Amino acid sequence: MSLRNIIKPYPSPIITGRGVDLDFPMLAGCLTLLGLGLVMIASASTEVAALQSGSALYYMIRHLIYIVLGLGACIVTMMIPIATWQRLGWLMLIGAFGLLVMVIIPGIGREVNGSMRWIGFSFFNVQPSEIAKVFVVIYLAGYLVRRQKEVRESWMGFFKPFIVLLPMAGLLLMEPDFGATVVMMGAAAAMLFLGGVGLARFSLMVLLAVAAVVLLIQMQPYRMARLTNFADPWADQFGAGYQLSQALIAFGRGEWLGVGLGNSVQKQFYLPEAHTDFVFSVLAEELGAVGSLCTVALFAFVCIRGMYIGLWAEKAKQFFAAYVAYGLSFLWIGQFLINIGVNVGLLPTKGLTLPFLSYGGSSLVICCACLGLLLRIEWESRTHLGSEEMEFSESDFAEEPNHGR
């Protein structure tokens, strides 16, 4: 049985009457980031890979495998109708809770640098927080559609999502993963605002969130130390401020045009986590301010394009798809702003990957799956085939007009 026959009831943007029908600007932007990430991982990880594994290309090869897996996940998500994600939202929420509980159970969760954020398998690790953030977006999008009037008009409709969000945030903090908690709650807050929550209730939510962040920082001494040290990393440049001071040295060495690809000095065991959390600092050193600004511009394009995909879905009255697109875009925006802010010293040091660029299998595969969802949403909104009750057949796509955006 051919692939076309298997998925015939649910045509997708990769199999239509006109062949591949994708949002190519979005796809090109993300593929460019993936390619840039592969090049930077190859450059930033050579020394540490040679020391730890005996092969300078160890991390680059693994990252390439993750890219292949991620592109496979992207294709799979493009083939699944958005209505299916909507129906399975509550199951995904249960799955997210299950994964977050499993990761904090000794013997199942794997501890790295004092945090239990991974479930270890023989050849790879899974980071449940990356999956949970996406599942929360999908569930919350369904809630905003089902309870739209209640969310907009009553306090109860506003508070109900937090019955789910707060326990999940608590599980994330038990790992601990403060960065993922901030990103998830930030995306949820943005979705609620776009879902029609009144300004008074939204302002109250912001005040409570700020108070919660302040309280959480004060509860853990290491978080307070990070907050005080990032303001002046040079006061303790060989202690608590070491990572940030080395990152800033990388930016200074890069100047305008950089020292050249592969010529970074900071990656040679001066800058910790050079191929993961601080890959942007190595990029700035090797490609300079020009390369850094071009990378930021590319990220901005991808995130704004994701928001526009949500807007197009909303105009097509596909509200669940619109909220999912907004939520996924805010997840990317949150991770991007925090990672870049940490690298340039605008935020306290926090372990959070840079979407599409940093080394990390779970993050990369989930980012690619999110790309597939966004491409599916754009295609369904453009072809007006996002109705859950609509039955699809190949004849629906035989004479599709060419709609450009």
Side-chain angles (χ1 to χ4, degrees):
M1 184 178 293
S2 67
L3 179 62
R4 180 183 291 268
N5 289 331
I6 292 174
I7 66 169
K8 187 175 180 179
Y10 302 105
S12 70
I14 56 175
I15 298 180
T16 69
R18 297 189 291 113
V20 178
D21 185 20
L22 296 171
D23 180 11
F24 284 103
M26 183 67 165
L27 179 63
C30 291
L31 289 179
T32 303
L33 287 172
L34 284 173
L36 179 62
L38 180 62
V39 171
M40 293 313 305
I41 295 303
S43 175
S45 66
T46 51
E47 278 71 20
V48 66
L51 178 66
Q52 294 179 356
S53 68
S55 172
L57 300 180
Y58 175 77
Y59 288 113
M60 188 210 75
I61 293 172
R62 287 178 66 90
H63 192 75
L64 183 59
I65 294 172
Y66 294 146
I67 289 177
V68 172
L69 293 175
L71 293 177
C74 178
I75 292 172
V76 170
T77 52
M78 275 194 289
M79 295 168 62
I80 301 174
I82 298 301
T84 301
W85 297 101
Q86 185 173 4
R87 287 196 299 269
L88 299 178
W90 66 277
L91 286 176
M92 294 180 182
L93 184 69
I94 295 173
F97 271 108
L99 288 171
L100 292 178
V101 170
M102 287 175 62
V103 77
I104 60 176
I105 298 176
I108 297 179
R110 181 185 177 191
E111 185 174 348
V112 178
N113 295 331
S115 299
M116 293 184 67
R117 302 178 186 174
W118 295 268
I119 298 176
F121 294 92
S122 55
F123 297 105
F124 61 95
N125 298 318
V126 174
Q127 191 171 359
S129 61
E130 296 291 339
I131 302 172
K133 287 184 294 187
V134 177
F135 285 3
V136 164
V137 165
I138 292 173
Y139 174 79
L140 187 56
Y143 174 82
L144 290 173
V145 171
R146 293 191 306 271
R147 306 285 185 178
Q148 188 177 60
K149 184 176 180 180
E150 189 178 356
V151 168
R152 294 180 175 181
E153 297 179 0
S154 72
W155 284 92
M156 185 57 65
F158 167 68
F159 281 117
K160 278 182 180 179
F162 292 97
I163 299 175
V164 171
L165 292 172
L166 291 179
M168 188 163 288
L171 289 172
L172 286 171
L173 290 172
M174 289 176 68
E175 297 182 8
D177 196 342
F178 186 68
T181 306
V182 171
V183 170
M184 183 190 74
M185 296 300 286
M191 291 175 68
L192 286 169
F193 181 73
L194 294 175
V197 170
L199 186 59
R201 280 170 286 166
F202 183 77
S203 300
L204 175 62
M205 177 175 60
V206 171
L207 291 175
L208 291 175
V210 171
V213 169
V214 172
L215 180 62
L216 288 170
I217 290 174
Q218 293 179 341
M219 287 174 61
Q220 293 292 339
Y222 78 91
R223 291 183 187 140
M224 198 66 190
R226 287 180 177 179
L227 184 64
T228 55
N229 287 325
F230 101 97
D232 185 12
W234 307 107
D236 190 14
Q237 60 178 308
F238 297 110
Y242 180 78
Q243 264 187 317
L244 180 54
S245 61
Q246 295 301 316
L248 294 176
I249 290 172
F251 277 91
R253 291 192 75 253
E255 297 184 348
W256 284 105
L257 299 178
V259 297
L261 189 62
N263 294 327
S264 168
V265 172
Q266 294 305 104
K267 69 182 181 183
Q268 298 178 11
F269 307 104
Y270 291 102
L271 179 61
E273 309 295 339
H275 61 297
T276 54
D277 301 338
F278 284 89
V279 67
F280 189 75
S281 296
V282 178
L283 183 150
E285 183 181 2
E286 296 187 349
L287 303 183
V290 173
S292 301
L293 292 174
C294 289
T295 304
V296 170
L298 190 56
F299 268 112
F301 168 77
V302 166
C303 293
I304 293 172
R305 187 77 179 182
M307 296 294 290
Y308 268 104
I309 288 174
L311 179 62
W312 295 330
E314 192 170 359
K315 288 183 177 179
K317 300 188 182 305
Q318 298 174 6
F319 296 107
F320 171 78
Y323 292 135
V324 170
Y326 291 143
L328 296 180
S329 299
F330 278 116
L331 288 180
W332 287 356
I333 291 169
Q335 287 191 228
F336 164 71
L337 290 178
I338 291 176
N339 185 277
I340 299 295
V342 167
N343 274 256
V344 301
L346 293 177
L347 293 173
T349 302
K350 183 70 201 77
L352 203 64
T353 57
L354 189 59
F356 295 105
L357 252 72
S358 294
Y359 176 82
S362 296
S363 175
L364 193 61
V365 172
I366 292 300
C367 281
C368 291
C370 292
L371 170 61
L373 270 171
L374 289 170
L375 292 174
R376 178 81 195 196
I377 290 169
E378 189 276 337
W379 177 75
E380 287 195 5
S381 67
R382 176 159 43 86
T383 55
H384 300 283
L385 290 169
S387 172
E388 183 176 353
E389 294 79 16
M390 185 174 292
E391 294 292 335
F392 300 125
S393 67
E394 194 65 30
S395 61
D396 293 327
F397 303 90
E399 299 294 336
E400 280 190 61
N402 187 11
H403 299 283
R405 282 180 175 162

